[in-house]
Amino acid sequence: MKGFNLSALAVKERAITLFLLVSFAFAGIYAFSKLGRAEDPSFTIKIMTVTSVWPGATVEEMQNLVAEPLEKRLQELRWYDHVETLMRPGYTNMTLFFKDTMPPKEVAEQFYEARKKLGDEAKSLPSGVVGPFINDEYSDVTFTLYSLKSSDLPQRKLAREAEVLRQQLLHVDGVKKVHIYGEQAEKIFVEFSYAKLANLGINPKAIFSAIQNQNSMTASGSINTKGAEVFIRLDSSYDDLEKIRNTAIVANGHTFKLSDIAQVKRGYEDPASYQIHNEGEPTLILGVVMKEGFNGLTLGENLQNEENKIISQLPTGISFTKITDQGVVIKDSIDEFLMKFVVALCVVMLVSLISMGWRVGIVVAAAVPLTLAIVFIIMIMTDRVLDRVTLGSLIIGLGLLVDDAIIAIEMMVVKLEEGLDKIQAASYAWTHAAAPMLSGTLVTIIGFIPIGFAHSTAGEYAGNIFWIVGFALLVSWVVAVVFTPYLGVKLLPNIKPIEGGHEAIYNTPNYKRLRKAVTWGVNHKKSVIFTVIGLFLVSGIGMGMLKQQFFPTSDRSEVLADIQMPKGSSIEATKAVVTEVETWLLKQPEAKNVTSYIGAGATRFFFSYNPELPDPSFAKIIIKTANSQDRDNLKWRFREEVVKGLGSSAHVRVSQLVFGPFPLYPVDFRVMGENTDKLREIANEIKAVMTDNPNTREINQDWGELTPEVHFALDQSRLRLIGLTPQDVSEQLQFLLKGIPLTQVREDIRTVDIVARSNGTDRLSPDKLTNLTLTTNEGKAIPLSQLGEIKVTDEDSFLRRRDRTPTISVRCDIAEGLQPPQVSNEIYQAIKPIIAKLPQGYRIEVGGNIEDSEKANKALLPIFPIMIILTLFVIVVQVRSLSMMTMVFLTAPLGLIGAVPILLLFNQPFGFNAILGLIGLSGILMRNTLILIVQIKDNEKRGHHSYDAIIEATVQRARPVILTALAAALAFIPLTHSVFWGSMAYTLIGGTIGGTALILLFLPALYAAWFKIKPVETRILS
């Protein structure tokens, strides 16, 4: 860059430069202390759930009359992707998935549109349908979970205590919401002996009507006075059990108290719909949700202080314990970052100290914390937080941001050795290196554009890589051309000019050996080029040997257990298996905390975990261990016990969390078609193929087997003769078997249903079904067997659809050490004969990890053309030659030569993060190529033959290239121990080392061949 010289200005105006340096340093420290902390980056959960209830309806009726019309309306949404529908008798749950490419800002609008369409359609649903109920807060992540238990208090009183604690926790700074989970719906049961009612000639309807009328909420009027309006209140509503027992019942000319013919008692929803255990005991869970952008470490401290207050104030017999705490996880992540930052900083300083002297090393190393300080300021100004992705991006930046500082200070040292004073040497870097450094920086940043602008969940999750690395590299360029020259002038020693000047500097034994190697490469350019092409092709072949991966498994210490009973099983049967498994788990030394969620999934305690939908036959157990080693030990032993028979009446799956988007199973094949029997047949064939594959485990389907249902064919003529209707029969059977809600008691902030039902001996005995007795309107007893014929048939009690098409998912886990794409591809090849003979209208789709990976990769593809155009534009602006631009761009994919071998050597998978590493690596290679070409052109402008210019430019750039490569490769080493960043770190290390060899040996040969430069007698440029 000619004319204006920013480096010279920074050195000239030293007071201003020093002021800015100190200001940025202190502001950066302040910003770092105030930045929000989180475990993982937030990404928009583009999902909502819709639930509808229709008591008494069959699965088919729920499908055709409830789910079908609602699904049709949802398909009208602009960003609709698909809907998955689960149906059970009287119940349906639809999970609406929006397109992965939907912009986050559109989510609220689409949720509103969905609510509006479903609300409009609700008016057209059959009479008796309750709902649809819409949950668009499905994405709330609990920061901390607390268990509230008591062996003395009944749960209804414990729930009131939980409400008090909720209110207390809501006042903690940083808390957005507090949810209470696991509360059993309280009921007041009025239990009758049906035989006694029949003997007394009492129609249950008379009793029901009396209870409802007694407790009705009806306005009683008011009196207008000259002062306040006086309202009339009737003291008739129920507020305790005694009032209910004293309700007057008039039947057949007689008056009874309700307690004369029924037992009134308190209880809970029976059967329960959802229960939670902690350490084997029933518990309530308080889930705390953090405010967006709040500092997780601060919230963790605030909650700890509040927890201490709560524990000190709780009555004896109530325990309040912490189950999960993201604050601890965030602290561990921050500590890991600081440790790796210090290691990387020491590596950079050590490289600089050994190669260039301690004062030069300090100047270079000072650029790192100064750059990060400015980046922290930018992060807090742009509402970014420190999380797994931003911290990893900063560590990646550590390996890249020293490049400009090394180039600038190395050039300054060379000019001092040539005899220039410090001011002139500091200014030289601007005129000769600032432009190519900026172009190279932009090229590197542009390489990360696809992930920064990818419209996908994975892109949203990892998108800050582009922004943080971009901030860091741009700031590092500014630091290199402003603050590094200033620090060089202040800190560098008085370097004596080397006798012989430029020629002597590059004529040491090491430079002579390098010059000889470069000369050989240029003279044998065809051999070098073909060798590199051969290595590139071999690397391409090696890519096929790499394990494919989307996102890696998480390093969190939880072990997850799914308990799946046969579909249609009762929650009591599920609870029995859970208790068996809990008993074993509580004896294991690694299990620090065991929490079971019976009847549905756990709360969303980890951002990418999707809670399972309500299902009485399902339970989730979360086992907290101390560390990943304990997690793995417990996981293996748990699986062995399951094989031996632990929880044998259920399908027990033991797993762990994964990063990024969370597929339910890594391998998943969907069978879709209309006929359910044919679907089962095809699904069983696929299941058999999976079973034959040695790399699969935990094979299952998401449909249950057919279950028995009792059909009662009523004799309509006889019904009419005795004065009953089918509705009367249904209501009486519901009363006899399950109970009928009559009214509600209003107690403080809760309402409690009063449920009328028969007593336990009649209600719970299945062999008495045919002996049940109904009553006519006159109170006469009629045996049920006289009203029709009872038949038992096998029917579906559980169906699933996807996009209004019946769908069975056949899925499985994979053997440890393998990756989902490998196993999925093996199974896909094996089921090709099944696919080939599918009837018309049936299809098999691949889901699981492969589907999520393809979505993420497809989201990157539209951005690549933009990335390529911007890259080419920056290059052509710098080199002003289309031919040179093409040559620079062709070096981009050569990072494979170094990356693939190291991934194979260290058995690392090739996944989303490795792809990001390759993209970044292409930018680094083009950056170094660009800087070398500019140096060649600079040498040619000084009047030297192109042959000499190539060789000497390579020699001149060798030291900064080797130093930056060494600093980057060593700085990435701490990341290789990261579960999340490991494959990217290995990619960058191998690519950087390989790229250095390419720059020093291949690029000179390529340049000479590209521009047909002939060898001449080599001489050192002066």
Side-chain angles (χ1 to χ4, degrees):
M1 290 184 181
K2 308 296 183 184
F4 174 74
N5 191 316
L6 188 57
S7 299
L9 181 65
V11 173
K12 180 181 177 182
E13 302 291 346
R14 298 185 191 182
I16 296 175
T17 306
L18 178 60
F19 172 78
L20 290 174
L21 190 153
V22 173
S23 298
F24 283 136
F26 281 103
I29 293 171
Y30 175 80
F32 178 76
S33 68
K34 294 298 180 181
L35 276 171
R37 266 72 164 177
E39 179 184 4
D40 280 288
S42 61
F43 56 89
T44 308
I45 306 293
K46 301 166 187 175
I47 299 173
M48 68 186 300
T49 61
V50 183
T51 304
S52 301
V53 178
W54 189 10
T58 65
V59 171
E60 289 75 16
E61 288 169 336
M62 293 303 298
Q63 173 179 270
N64 298 330
L65 299 175
V66 180
E68 178 75 12
L70 295 178
E71 289 170 337
K72 286 179 180 177
R73 293 307 304 270
L74 291 176
Q75 286 183 320
E76 299 170 6
L77 293 167
R78 176 187 174 191
W79 292 100
Y80 171 89
D81 185 71
H82 70 276
V83 62
E84 295 179 0
T85 307
L86 175 154
M87 288 150 296
R88 299 200 306 267
Y91 172 88
T92 180
N93 186 293
M94 294 182 291
T95 306
L96 171 63
F97 294 82
F98 294 96
K99 287 185 182 297
D100 211 33
T101 54
M102 179 173 69
K105 64 181 181 181
E106 293 277 351
V107 171
E109 177 64 23
Q110 287 295 289
F111 282 174
Y112 168 73
E113 287 292 328
R115 280 182 174 276
K116 190 170 68 171
K117 290 180 182 296
L118 292 172
D120 292 342
E121 190 62 33
K123 302 168 187 175
S124 304
L125 295 178
S127 175
V129 174
V130 184
F133 304 106
I134 299 160
N135 178 13
D136 55 9
E137 295 186 349
Y138 188 64
S139 60
D140 280 349
V141 181
T142 49
F143 183 88
T144 303
L145 288 174
Y146 293 103
S147 168
L148 185 67
K149 293 185 289 187
S150 175
S151 56
D152 303 325
L153 285 180
Q155 198 197 69
R156 65 188 183 88
K157 292 187 177 180
L158 190 64
R160 271 61 171 184
E161 191 68 38
E163 284 289 354
V164 174
L165 297 183
R166 166 154 64 182
Q167 195 63 26
Q168 197 168 336
L169 290 170
L170 281 170
H171 287 93
V172 175
D173 189 26
V175 173
K176 178 182 178 182
K177 302 177 186 176
V178 179
H179 297 292
I180 299 176
Y181 301 101
E183 181 181 355
Q184 303 298 300
E186 189 182 348
K187 306 289 183 183
I188 294 175
F189 293 109
V190 180
E191 295 188 346
F192 302 88
S193 167
Y194 213 69
K196 186 175 182 180
L197 291 181
N199 289 334
L200 293 173
I202 300 174
N203 189 323
K205 281 187 176 181
I207 303 174
F208 301 162
S209 179
I211 294 173
Q212 291 166 343
N213 294 335
Q214 177 76 20
N215 193 51
S216 64
M217 175 72 75
T218 307
S220 305
S222 62
I223 302 172
N224 290 321
T225 67
K226 292 181 180 180
E229 182 179 7
V230 179
F231 289 91
I232 309 300
R233 308 292 186 194
L234 298 183
D235 188 18
S236 62
S237 297
Y238 294 138
D239 53 17
D240 61 26
L241 296 188
E242 202 56 39
K243 276 192 175 181
I244 301 173
R245 293 187 179 108
N246 291 332
T247 302
I249 308 295
V250 178
N252 296 331
H254 299 284
T255 302
F256 304 90
K257 281 186 179 181
L258 182 61
S259 57
D260 294 336
I261 54 176
Q263 183 180 9
V264 180
K265 62 181 181 180
R266 289 187 180 272
Y268 300 97
E269 182 182 25
D270 183 20
S273 59
Y274 187 48
Q275 292 182 327
I276 302 178
H277 291 176
N278 179 251
E279 299 295 275
E281 300 174 359
T283 185
L284 296 181
I285 297 290
L286 282 85
V288 178
V289 179
M290 183 174 73
K291 289 180 180 176
E292 291 83 356
F294 198 81
N295 189 322
L297 291 180
T298 303
L299 178 57
E301 293 169 1
N302 295 345
L303 286 174
Q304 184 60 54
N305 294 333
E306 195 64 31
E307 179 186 342
N308 295 337
K309 291 180 186 177
I310 289 171
I311 291 174
S312 65
Q313 298 168 358
L314 279 177
T316 304
I318 299 179
S319 67
F320 184 72
T321 56
K322 190 181 295 179
I323 298 175
T324 65
D325 184 2
Q326 276 197 14
V328 174
V329 179
I330 294 169
K331 183 179 183 300
D332 292 342
S333 299
I334 301 294
D335 291 345
E336 180 187 24
F337 163 72
L338 292 175
M339 180 194 71
K340 291 177 179 177
F341 166 70
V342 171
V343 170
L345 183 59
C346 291
V347 165
V348 171
M349 289 185 65
L350 188 63
V351 169
S352 302
L353 289 169
I354 293 175
S355 60
M356 305 174 77
W358 72 273
R359 288 196 179 185
V360 177
I362 289 175
V363 173
V364 172
V368 177
L370 182 58
T371 299
L372 290 178
I374 299 173
V375 171
F376 292 144
I377 296 170
I378 297 172
M379 285 178 65
I380 205 167
M381 291 173 64
T382 56
D383 293 327
R384 286 177 168 79
V385 301
L386 291 173
D387 54 43
R388 191 183 309 277
V389 169
T390 55
L391 289 174
S393 302
L394 287 170
I395 297 174
I396 291 170
L398 286 178
L400 303 176
L401 56 84
V402 294
D403 287 14
D404 289 340
I406 288 177
I407 291 171
I409 202 67
E410 193 271 345
M411 192 169 288
M412 187 174 176
V413 169
V414 168
K415 291 306 165 185
L416 289 173
E417 291 173 343
E418 290 180 4
L420 274 63
D421 62 36
K422 288 185 178 180
I423 305 298
Q424 292 173 322
S427 303
Y428 183 84
W430 174 267
T431 57
H432 288 75
M437 284 195 308
L438 179 59
S439 298
T441 296
L442 292 174
V443 166
T444 306
I445 294 170
I446 289 168
F448 287 101
I449 277 182
I451 187 57
F453 291 91
H455 294 302
S456 68
T457 300
E460 196 178 345
Y461 180 85
N464 268 328
I465 294 176
F466 164 74
W467 295 105
I468 301 302
V469 172
F471 294 154
L473 293 184
L474 284 174
V475 170
S476 74
W477 179 83
V478 175
V479 169
V481 298
V482 176
F483 297 109
T484 298
Y486 167 80
L487 292 173
V489 170
K490 298 292 288 184
L491 298 178
L492 287 182
N494 294 319
I495 298 175
K496 295 181 180 180
I498 294 177
E499 188 176 347
H502 186 94
E503 180 177 343
I505 293 171
Y506 295 106
N507 204 27
T508 62
N510 287 334
Y511 277 124
K512 285 180 179 179
R513 284 190 284 270
L514 176 61
R515 185 178 290 107
K516 184 177 180 180
V518 174
T519 302
W520 182 90
V522 173
N523 291 339
H524 299 82
K525 49 185 173 286
K526 289 185 179 179
S527 299
V528 172
I529 291 170
F530 282 118
T531 299
V532 171
I533 292 174
L535 291 173
F536 180 74
L537 293 176
V538 170
S539 298
I541 297 171
M543 285 279 289
M545 302 169 61
L546 291 172
K547 300 177 192 173
Q548 301 299 305
Q549 184 189 64
F550 185 29
F551 277 104
T553 54
S554 171
D555 54 0
R556 294 221 4 177
S557 61
E558 288 90 352
V559 175
L560 313 182
D562 293 358
I563 311 294
Q564 182 62 68
M565 296 288 287
K567 298 294 185 182
S569 298
S570 69
I571 195 169
E572 289 301 322
T574 307
K575 181 179 175 181
V577 177
V578 169
T579 302
E580 177 190 351
V581 174
E582 284 176 336
T583 302
W584 181 84
L585 284 169
L586 291 171
K587 297 176 183 177
Q588 307 311 305
E590 296 91 349
K592 301 303 179 186
N593 192 284
V594 180
T595 307
S596 304
Y597 302 83
I598 308 166
T603 63
R604 191 188 292 273
F605 65 97
F606 184 67
F607 205 95
S608 59
Y609 164 69
N610 286 328
E612 290 83 359
L613 297 174
D615 179 0
S617 63
F618 177 82
K620 190 92 171 183
I621 304 179
I622 310 293
I623 307 101
K624 180 73 175 173
T625 65
N627 50 55
S628 57
Q629 183 61 50
D630 283 357
R631 176 200 65 199
D632 291 340
N633 291 341
L634 178 60
K635 182 175 68 174
W636 283 107
R637 196 179 324 120
F638 197 171
R639 287 175 179 171
E640 290 171 0
E641 286 298 316
V642 170
V643 172
K644 292 177 183 177
L646 180 65
S648 57
S649 56
H651 175 83
V652 181
R653 179 198 184 200
V654 182
S655 62
Q656 67 185 85
L657 295 166
V658 299
F659 289 120
F662 191 87
L664 188 58
Y665 277 81
V667 177
D668 189 350
F669 290 86
R670 294 189 293 268
V671 185
M672 307 179 72
E674 291 301 327
N675 184 278
T676 56
D677 292 334
K678 188 63 180 178
L679 284 182
R680 290 181 190 277
E681 178 187 331
I682 299 169
N684 287 333
E685 292 180 26
I686 296 176
K687 185 177 180 181
V689 171
M690 282 187 177
T691 305
D692 291 339
N693 189 305
N695 296 326
T696 63
R697 57 183 185 80
E698 305 295 346
I699 304 159
N700 67 95
Q701 301 176 11
D702 64 351
W703 278 25
E705 299 300 324
L706 296 175
T707 56
E709 288 194 4
V710 177
H711 283 257
F712 191 59
L714 293 172
D715 185 333
Q716 299 294 335
S717 300
R718 181 158 182 77
L719 272 183
R720 282 193 292 271
L721 284 173
I722 61 178
L724 290 178
T725 66
Q727 181 178 349
D728 295 331
V729 175
S730 297
E731 288 178 352
Q732 292 195 44
L733 285 175
Q734 177 73 6
F735 164 74
L736 288 168
L737 300 174
K738 301 285 287 187
I740 297 176
L742 302 178
T743 185
Q744 291 181 327
V745 174
R746 295 167 284 280
E747 295 184 342
D748 48 66
I749 60 172
R750 294 286 195 275
T751 57
V752 181
D753 287 342
I754 298 179
V755 178
R757 66 181 186 181
S758 63
N759 62 29
T761 55
D762 293 336
R763 181 168 44 86
L764 303 177
S765 179
D767 59 350
K768 291 187 176 182
L769 181 61
T770 56
N771 297 326
L772 290 176
T773 302
L774 307 185
T775 59
T776 65
N777 293 329
E778 293 76 27
K780 295 181 179 179
I782 299 292
L784 181 64
S785 57
Q786 294 183 13
L787 300 180
E789 182 182 359
I790 295 177
K791 295 180 181 178
V792 178
T793 61
D794 288 335
E795 294 187 3
D796 286 304
S797 63
F798 190 98
L799 294 179
R800 288 184 181 271
R801 306 209 309 177
R802 181 184 173 96
D803 282 339
R804 299 169 53 209
T805 302
T807 303
I808 299 180
S809 289
V810 188
R811 62 268 178 98
C812 67
D813 282 323
I814 59 176
E816 292 290 332
L818 299 178
Q819 296 298 332
Q822 174 192 339
V823 180
S824 294
N825 288 328
E826 290 175 358
I827 295 170
Y828 183 76
Q829 295 301 320
I831 66 172
K832 277 187 174 180
I834 300 174
I835 297 174
K837 65 178 184 179
L838 285 177
Q840 187 174 359
Y842 291 80
R843 65 185 186 276
I844 295 174
E845 295 180 352
V846 181
N849 198 276
I850 282 188
E851 184 177 44
D852 289 338
S853 180
E854 286 178 352
K855 284 182 182 178
N857 293 337
K858 284 180 181 177
L860 295 177
L861 291 178
I863 318 295
F864 274 107
I866 300 172
M867 179 196 76
I868 292 170
I869 291 171
L870 290 175
T871 301
L872 294 175
F873 176 74
V874 171
I875 295 171
V876 78
V877 168
Q878 180 62 51
V879 300
R880 306 301 171 101
S881 166
L882 292 176
S883 181
M884 284 189 188
M885 176 197 74
T886 305
M887 189 191 76
V888 172
F889 188 72
L890 289 177
T891 62
L894 296 180
L896 282 175
I897 294 174
V900 171
I902 198 168
L903 289 173
L904 287 171
L905 180 64
F906 289 93
N907 196 32
Q908 292 294 306
F910 186 77
F912 192 75
N913 288 343
I915 291 174
L916 298 182
L918 276 181
I919 292 171
L921 190 59
S922 67
I924 296 170
L925 288 176
M926 288 188 286
R927 176 182 190 274
N928 290 330
T929 304
L930 197 58
I931 293 175
L932 180 61
I933 287 177
V934 171
Q935 185 67 57
I936 294 172
K937 302 305 293 181
D938 188 52
N939 289 347
E940 289 177 339
K941 287 178 183 177
R942 286 153 55 189
H944 299 285
H945 190 277
S946 297
Y947 181 77
D948 293 330
I950 295 171
I951 295 170
E952 290 309 313
T954 307
V955 172
Q956 289 167 327
R957 304 310 318 143
R959 182 161 66 170
V961 165
I962 292 173
L963 288 179
T964 55
L966 189 60
L970 294 177
F972 291 141
I973 287 178
L975 274 183
T976 59
H977 300 286
S978 168
V979 174
F980 185 77
W981 295 106
S983 61
M984 176 187 276
Y986 278 110
T987 301
L988 289 170
I989 290 171
T992 302
I993 294 171
T996 303
L998 290 174
I999 291 166
L1000 298 179
L1001 298 176
F1002 170 68
L1003 285 180
L1006 178 64
Y1007 190 95
W1010 194 272
F1011 295 103
K1012 299 176 180 163
I1013 297 171
K1014 304 295 182 184
V1016 297
E1017 183 180 349
T1018 305
R1019 59 191 182 281
I1020 300 173
L1021 300 183
S1022 59

